Structures are given as C-alpha cells and as structure tokens.
Amino acid sequence: FRTDIRDEGDKFVLEADLPGFKKEDIKLDLKDGILTVSAQHSESSEEKDKKGSYIRRERRYGSFARKFDVSGIQEDGITAAYNNGVLELTLPKAQPVVPAARQIEI
C-alpha cells in the first residue's frame, strides 16, 4: 500500500492508503523498535436464481503488511487515526538525552 512520511519538526506523520478496509481490519504492532502495519480483508457476494442455484458467486481476499523502523521515536506517544481509507500515524520524535554537566572538585 502507498505510504507517505512527512517530517514536521518534532514529529513524523505517516499516511497509508488502505481503501476498502474497515478499522477492524487494520492491525498495528510495535515490537523491538519495529512498527508493523497489516491489513486483511475478505468479502464475498452471491446471487442465486429461484431454484437456489448460483448465477454468480464472487470472493475477494486481500492482505497487506509493511514494517517501519521507529528507532528515535517516542514509542508511548504514537497515535493513530483512520478516516476515509487513510491511516494516519503521528510518530513523535524522542528527545535526545543530554548528560548532565557537573563540576568535579579538586
């Protein structure tokens, strides 16, 4: 699936196109600094005549998955929203840890 990632200074915004999927079809997993976005969809439709015989029967299945390295991201601050077929993740950048300076007595 198509994915765009924008750098907005203090955060990254990831937008993934997942048209035709329901919110319940999408799964986000975060493990060992890797974010996995997966989506699975199945659909079936059928038409029968008066005798109950099939005139048409269709089945569609689709499964997608992508992995993203999120090292340097504040993992507990990640948020997600899904609207109109677009999954949007906000990935706040981790603040660099600056060691505290101290003076050493002689």
Side-chain angles (χ1 to χ4, degrees):
F1 50 87
R2 184 190 70 80
T3 303
D4 295 330
I5 301 173
R6 294 188 319 268
D7 186 344
E8 296 191 351
D10 62 339
K11 64 185 174 192
F12 292 104
V13 176
L14 183 149
E15 291 179 339
D17 287 349
L18 295 167
F21 288 93
K22 297 177 191 168
K23 184 178 174 180
E24 300 79 33
D25 296 336
I26 302 168
K27 185 176 175 187
L28 304 172
D29 292 310
L30 183 61
K31 183 177 180 185
D32 298 329
I34 302 294
L35 173 67
T36 303
V37 179
S38 58
Q40 187 170 356
H41 177 70
S42 63
E43 179 181 317
S44 65
S45 63
E46 58 185 51
E47 290 181 22
K48 295 183 180 184
D49 62 11
K50 293 177 185 177
K51 297 178 187 175
S53 299
Y54 289 110
I55 295 175
R56 179 175 64 99
R57 186 174 185 189
E58 295 184 10
R59 292 166 293 286
R60 266 186 5 169
Y61 300 96
S63 178
F64 301 96
R66 298 261 324 249
K67 294 181 184 276
F68 301 93
D69 180 358
V70 291
S71 57
I73 299 297
Q74 183 184 338
E75 292 183 2
D76 60 347
I78 296 173
T79 59
Y82 183 67
N83 294 307
N84 299 323
V86 178
L87 174 67
E88 183 175 299
L89 297 171
T90 302
L91 309 160
K93 294 180 182 179
Q95 299 300 319
V97 177
V98 179
R102 65 183 184 105
Q103 188 171 11
I104 300 171
E105 295 289 327
I106 302 177

